[in-house]
């Protein structure tokens, strides 16, 4: 198996971020303990996607801290955050359609330090990705544009894992996925976490997210309005009414 980096704790402290005059995050604080799954729930427009973008460097925070294992990395660019061990799987199955499945996977290796770019290690990383996602092995020479929605989601998760992350940010991994594939995706998330990767899971399927998470947060209009152990959030009347169908 490919080497797995040690898990990292992640803390976002008093984060403020937005787009132009629009404030998307207003003093948001969350903690993801090392080697756990942390769920972030909320309606559309609550600030969930912006939170992940601010952590991964895609959006520059206006203030606040993004602390990875004690070091504040707020304001760093995506490349620096990737090298620090943060991998971001964005919403919408963001594959590069014009590249093959294997070429997409190789992009994940760009976050490796130069000394790790040996042919044997690259081959081992690809072998592990194909072992975990067998359907990708069968399609490795095909253009990503030919994949189904579920297969594209598998590909973007596999590409993120090839980068050997310590923290994995997942934005709506269930979006557009057929029910038969949904459980496979979540089983994979649990297996990734059990191997020592810290996972921050943004997900509108609250039932699935809370069933695999240790702790959860609820965002509304850019603020944390609820936080608790995932099991307790699942039984919270407010959460059940808003996100679990009562």
């Amino acid at each position: 198996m490919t080497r797995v980096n040690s898990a990292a704790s992640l803390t976002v402290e008093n984060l403020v971020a937005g787009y132009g005059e629009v404030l998307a995050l207003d003093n948001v604080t969350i903690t993801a303990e090392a080697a756990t799954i942390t769920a972030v729930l909320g309606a559309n427009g609550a600030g969930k996607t912006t939170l992940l973008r601010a952590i991964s460097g895609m959006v520059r925070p206006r203030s606040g801290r993004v602390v990875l294992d004690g070091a504040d990395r707020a304001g760093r660019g995506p490349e620096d955050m990737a090298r620090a061990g943060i991998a971001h799987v964005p919403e919408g199955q963001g594959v590069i359609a014009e590249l093959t499945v294997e070429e997409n996977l190789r992009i994940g290796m760009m976050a490796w330090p130069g000394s790790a770019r040996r042919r044997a290690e690259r081959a081992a990383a690809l072998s592990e990705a194909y072992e975990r996602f067998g359907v990708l092995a069968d399609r490795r020479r095909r253009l990503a544009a030919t994949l189904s929605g579920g297969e594209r989601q598998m590909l973007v998760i596999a590409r993120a894992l090839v980068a050997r992350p310590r923290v994995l940010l997942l934005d709506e991994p269930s979006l557009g996925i057929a029910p038969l594939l949904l459980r496979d995706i979540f089983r994979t998330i649990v297996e990734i976490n059990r191997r020592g990767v810290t996972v921050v899971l943004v997900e509108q399927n609250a039932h699935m997210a809370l069933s695999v998470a240790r702790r959860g947060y609820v965002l509304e209009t850019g603020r944390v309005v609820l936080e608790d152990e995932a099991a307790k959030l699942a039984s919270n009347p407010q959460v059940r009414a808003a996100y679990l169908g009562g």
Side-chain angles (χ1 to χ4, degrees), residues 25-202:
L25 299 175
D26 186 4
N27 286 302
V28 168
T29 296
I30 72 166
T31 296
E33 296 179 4
T36 66
I37 299 176
T38 300
V40 181
L41 311 178
N44 288 334
K48 308 185 301 298
T49 291
T50 301
L51 173 63
L52 297 192
R53 289 175 175 171
I55 293 171
S56 67
M58 295 176 67
V59 169
R60 187 178 183 88
R62 298 176 183 176
S63 62
R65 305 198 328 146
V66 177
V67 181
L68 184 69
D69 268 356
D72 182 15
R73 299 181 181 274
R76 304 279 185 94
E79 296 83 4
D80 285 343
M81 298 306 258
R83 283 192 289 268
I86 294 178
H88 183 187
V89 178
E91 177 184 353
Q93 302 153 7
V95 301
I96 301 178
E98 297 81 9
L99 298 182
T100 67
V101 166
E102 187 154 308
E103 288 168 340
N104 269 273
L105 290 175
R106 289 182 181 277
I107 290 173
M109 299 177 191
M110 295 174 67
W112 292 8
S115 61
R117 293 175 180 265
R118 292 186 291 271
R119 179 177 298 178
E121 288 192 67
R122 294 196 298 267
L126 290 172
S127 177
E128 183 174 344
Y130 294 139
E131 180 181 350
R132 178 178 284 120
F133 298 101
V135 68
L136 298 183
D138 297 336
R139 292 159 172 73
R140 68 181 73 189
R141 305 299 180 199
R142 294 171 62 175
L143 293 178
T146 67
L147 301 181
S148 69
E151 291 164 351
R152 290 186 182 204
Q153 189 64 65
M154 292 177 187
L155 178 55
V156 291
I157 294 174
R159 184 177 64 197
L161 293 177
V162 165
R164 300 172 173 172
R166 305 171 69 201
V167 177
L168 180 62
L169 311 177
L170 293 171
D171 194 353
E172 303 284 5
S174 73
L175 188 68
I177 302 302
L180 288 176
L181 289 175
L182 182 59
R183 292 191 181 277
D184 288 341
I185 293 292
F186 273 83
R187 273 195 294 266
T188 299
I189 293 169
V190 170
E191 187 266 335
I192 292 165
N193 172 247
R194 285 176 177 166
R195 291 191 57 212
V197 178
T198 305
V199 177
V200 180
L201 173 61
V202 162

